[in-house]
Amino acid sequence: MTLLAGAQPSWFPLAREEARGLLTAKGPWILAVLLVLWGYRPTYVGWQGLGSNMTIGFLQTAGSFLLPLGVLLLSYRSVVGERTSGSLKFVLGLPMTRSDVLVGKVLGRSAGIAIPISAAAVTLGVIGLIRFGAFSPLLFCGVLLSTVVYVMSLVSVGTALSAVTTSTVRAAGAAFGGVYLVFTAFWTKFAEIIYATVGTAPPETTVGTASVNTFSAPADGLFFLLLRLSPGRAYRVLTNWLLGVGNSGGSFDAVITKLETPTSITIYTVESAFHGQTPPAYLHELSGVVILLCWLLVPLGVARYRFERGDLV
Amino acid sequence: MTVPAIKTAGLSKQYDEVTALDGLELTVEQGEVYGFLGPNGAGKSTTIGLLMNYSKPTAGTARVLGFDPWTDVVACHQQIGILPDRFDTYDNRSARRHLQLVADTKGADADPAALLERVGLGDAIDRPAGEFSQGMEQRLALAMSLVGDPELLILDEPFTGLDPHGVALVREVVDSESERGTTVFFSSHVLGQVEVVCDRIGILHRGRLVDEGTLSAFRERLDLTAEATVEDVFIQLTDESVQQTTDSARLREEDQ
């Protein structure tokens, strides 16, 4: 017992308590139910492209739009809420460093949110299994694991914002206005504007001023890199790669539509923009993992730097 | 010679325009019960916040049980039990879970049931703290501070929100912990409640320690009768200190 206590890191009890707090609360389970309802979207094109593996695509649908909103909602108050209420005084009085507090918060919250979300994924899997037959269990696990990494990144960003703000209102503004709206929901629009303003569009795609749209997507690696800097698009680049539908941050069924059917559709894919030319190596789909890990580590690292130094009460 | 439980030198804290603490020189020996007194806003919670690494000093040094409170946080907090001021408990966690978190983090073999029994919350052990009254929360926090038999007990305004039974309980806990050899450092602005429990008192006013000593020494020096209470000592001292401050302010104005 003593040996076990000595072996566990100092943040572990805090992380366990955080996870327990979420698992016994309603919020994460309501999110899980909503994700099942949101994610279950059988389509002809999905079936045409993936067959029974379409069920695994439901996980990606569940992981887009609603999941980041829910996870940020469950994370943005994690530190600042305790700071304003005064319960942070107990946590900071425990024998661990402030960095340990952040690590415990992020890992504990990640577990407390990832478990209900995994339950939602399994539910989608069971429904799909009954309706559409057996799918690849390995692929299912791969997409689920990607989703868990995505959840951890979002919890980390939410907690980082929570650790450096002094009011819950400001934390909410940064999480929803900044991270959710700019980087998740409308990132494509922002990326187009940024690229048109500062980017160097290759001459053949430039008509008059530099303009970008999905019908004349520039065969410029930097534009595609910019697009996938969004955590949501990075997650879909990674899961589209696992599903084998193409190199794109769009949803899997849209990517299938664009690449497998004669229908023209307003999304960006590396394949259609580069027309058989070799895209730069950094546009490999594994860049999705790298970007998710950056979202997991960089904001938290910055937050840790400030959280270690400031006055917290 | 053992290291002092608390030793500060020139400890200062400045918030924008406000000087919350101004060159505090404080020594609390191990085994002492030290009452840290002063009116609201004197800098008591600021001092405790600095000693607990809730905030960082603008100037000065501090040692808590020989450790630097801002760099040796883990070693320091391992030996400290804290009852903070203006805290909040976790609404959806039971009293037991509150204590268990402290015990697990400290690696202490605590008995939550016995500790809660000791502070009069034996019946409420599995109730969520969200249902607690202010007095019950205060008792819960007191129990949390006792987990792992700390060497130094820091109680920030421990009498807040307590009924007479609660006040008696805090005194009893301070007495018995002191008997066990624990150093107790507590702050209060409720003066009448401290004289029975303190070995020594220090009086903080406007961020400075204006005086310290035993109550009997204060009585002698300030020429008070034997019946004088901490209240009398306190009023006399803070009046003097206000007088000094206004005097020096007037002198400064005259200089200009």
Side-chain angles (χ1 to χ4, degrees):
Chain A
M1 190 60 209
T2 322
L3 200 73
L4 207 74
Q8 68 175 215
S10 55
W11 47 260
F12 186 77
L14 178 69
R16 190 173 52 197
E17 210 53 46
E18 286 286 318
R20 191 196 306 263
L22 280 164
L23 292 173
T24 53
K26 289 192 202 84
W29 297 103
I30 293 172
L31 177 63
V33 171
L34 292 175
L35 287 176
V36 172
L37 300 174
W38 177 271
Y40 182 74
R41 290 191 194 181
T43 55
Y44 283 113
V45 72
W47 177 258
Q48 197 184 331
L50 293 174
S52 57
N53 281 344
M54 176 174 71
T55 299
I56 303 166
F58 296 159
L59 267 59
Q60 189 202 65
T61 309
S64 301
F65 302 104
L66 186 60
L67 179 137
L69 187 65
V71 175
L72 286 172
L73 197 64
L74 291 170
S75 321
Y76 82 97
R77 285 196 322 196
S78 61
V79 179
V80 75
E82 287 207 28
R83 196 168 159 178
T84 48
S85 78
S87 56
L88 193 62
K89 288 176 184 167
F90 288 118
V91 177
L92 291 175
L94 295 172
M96 56 182 152
T97 64
R98 291 178 177 186
S99 298
D100 288 336
V101 172
L102 285 187
V103 170
K105 285 264 171 195
V106 169
L107 293 179
R109 297 223 143 219
S110 294
I113 298 171
I115 290 169
I117 287 178
S118 301
V122 169
T123 308
L124 281 169
V126 170
I127 296 170
L129 187 70
I130 294 164
R131 294 291 304 273
F132 309 107
F135 48 82
S136 157
L138 195 64
L139 186 55
F140 181 87
C141 291
V143 173
L144 179 56
L145 185 65
S146 308
T147 310
V148 170
V149 173
Y150 182 37
V151 167
M152 288 180 74
S153 305
L154 291 163
V155 171
S156 179
V157 173
T159 305
L161 290 173
S162 196
V164 299
T165 44
T166 48
S167 80
T168 41
V169 176
R170 243 171 283 170
F176 300 109
V179 177
Y180 186 71
L181 290 180
V182 175
F183 282 105
T184 310
F186 298 111
W187 179 246
T188 311
K189 209 80 221 140
F190 282 99
E192 286 168 359
I193 294 166
I194 294 167
Y195 184 75
T197 315
V198 301
T200 49
E204 67 268 24
T205 57
T206 313
V207 184
T209 58
S211 71
V212 194
N213 62 58
T214 46
F215 294 105
S216 63
D220 186 346
L222 288 177
F223 176 62
F224 277 87
L225 185 65
L226 183 64
L227 276 175
R228 64 186 56 179
L229 291 184
S230 145
R233 292 188 72 88
Y235 164 72
R236 283 190 298 274
V237 165
L238 176 61
T239 46
N240 283 338
W241 179 55
L242 294 174
L243 291 166
V245 296
N247 189 345
S248 169
S251 66
F252 78 98
D253 43 356
V255 177
I256 296 169
T257 310
K258 177 121 181 175
L259 298 179
E260 306 291 327
T261 69
T263 322
S264 190
I265 177 172
T266 60
I267 66 151
Y268 291 109
T269 66
V270 172
E271 288 85 348
S272 59
F274 284 84
H275 301 296
Q277 289 169 258
T278 316
Y282 59 77
L283 287 187
H284 189 280
E285 292 91 332
L286 280 172
S287 58
V289 183
V290 176
I291 289 159
L292 284 181
L293 291 180
C294 285
W295 280 99
L296 178 67
L297 297 173
V298 176
L300 193 66
V302 175
R304 172 185 176 267
Y305 182 85
R306 291 191 46 188
F307 193 69
E308 272 288 346
R309 279 157 189 77
D311 293 344
L312 300 177
V313 174
Chain B
M1 215 185 98
T2 53
V3 294
I6 297 172
K7 186 166 182 59
T8 73
L11 190 63
S12 304
K13 182 68 185 176
Q14 185 85 27
Y15 292 103
D16 297 323
E17 301 284 286
V18 183
T19 305
L21 203 61
D22 187 6
L24 179 71
E25 307 281 335
L26 178 73
T27 305
V28 177
E29 298 298 341
Q30 290 203 30
E32 251 190 316
V33 177
Y34 191 99
F36 197 44
L37 310 181
N40 288 323
K44 303 183 300 291
S45 285
T46 301
T47 307
I48 289 174
L50 288 168
L51 296 175
M52 289 305 296
N53 187 36
Y54 294 163
S55 57
K56 310 279 184 181
T58 326
T61 59
R63 288 288 178 279
V64 177
L65 299 164
F67 298 109
D68 182 321
W70 306 293
T71 55
D72 295 329
V73 179
V74 177
C76 211
H77 291 187
Q78 186 65 38
Q79 318 287 356
I80 298 178
I82 173 76
L83 190 165
D85 183 29
R86 276 181 281 164
F87 62 86
D88 192 14
T89 50
Y90 296 94
D91 287 355
N92 58 356
R93 293 186 198 168
S94 67
R96 183 200 299 274
R97 295 238 57 82
H98 277 82
L99 296 199
Q100 200 60 54
L101 175 62
V102 183
D104 290 348
T105 316
K106 285 191 166 174
D109 234 353
D111 179 356
L115 276 170
L116 288 168
E117 196 65 53
R118 188 170 166 196
V119 299
L121 289 178
D123 298 339
I125 183 162
D126 287 315
R127 273 174 60 191
E131 296 174 5
F132 285 11
S133 68
Q134 197 195 350
M136 290 170 83
E137 282 193 295
Q138 194 74 11
R139 286 163 186 258
L140 173 57
L142 183 64
M144 288 169 78
S145 76
L146 296 174
V147 170
D149 297 329
E151 282 180 40
L152 170 61
L153 208 50
I154 298 182
L155 312 174
D156 198 354
E157 299 281 358
F159 302 107
T160 309
L162 291 176
D163 58 16
H165 293 293
V167 171
L169 169 77
V170 173
R171 284 188 193 165
E172 183 275 312
V173 166
V174 169
D175 274 344
S176 59
E177 288 302 300
S178 172
E179 239 161 75
R180 216 176 48 80
T182 311
T183 311
V184 183
F185 180 75
F186 72 92
S187 78
S188 182
H189 68 281
V190 187
L191 306 167
Q193 290 159 340
V194 303
E195 48 193 314
V196 258
V197 281
C198 292
D199 295 328
R200 220 149 54 96
I201 58 174
I203 294 177
L204 194 72
H205 189 61
R206 301 193 172 176
R208 308 192 73 110
L209 194 65
V210 292
D211 218 327
E212 68 173 350
T214 60
L215 193 61
S216 54
F218 272 118
R219 284 197 182 109
E220 219 166 286
R221 196 152 48 80
L222 296 172
D223 198 22
L224 295 165
T225 59
E227 289 79 43
T229 60
V230 177
E231 226 92 29
D232 299 325
V233 176
F234 183 74
I235 288 168
Q236 190 159 343
L237 278 171
T238 49
D239 273 357
E240 261 176 29
S241 142
V242 170
Q243 201 55 48
Q244 277 165 15
T245 326
T246 42
D247 283 351
S248 61
R250 204 173 45 238
L251 282 174
R252 268 203 305 279
E253 275 167 24
E254 282 166 6
D255 281 348
Q256 284 165 359

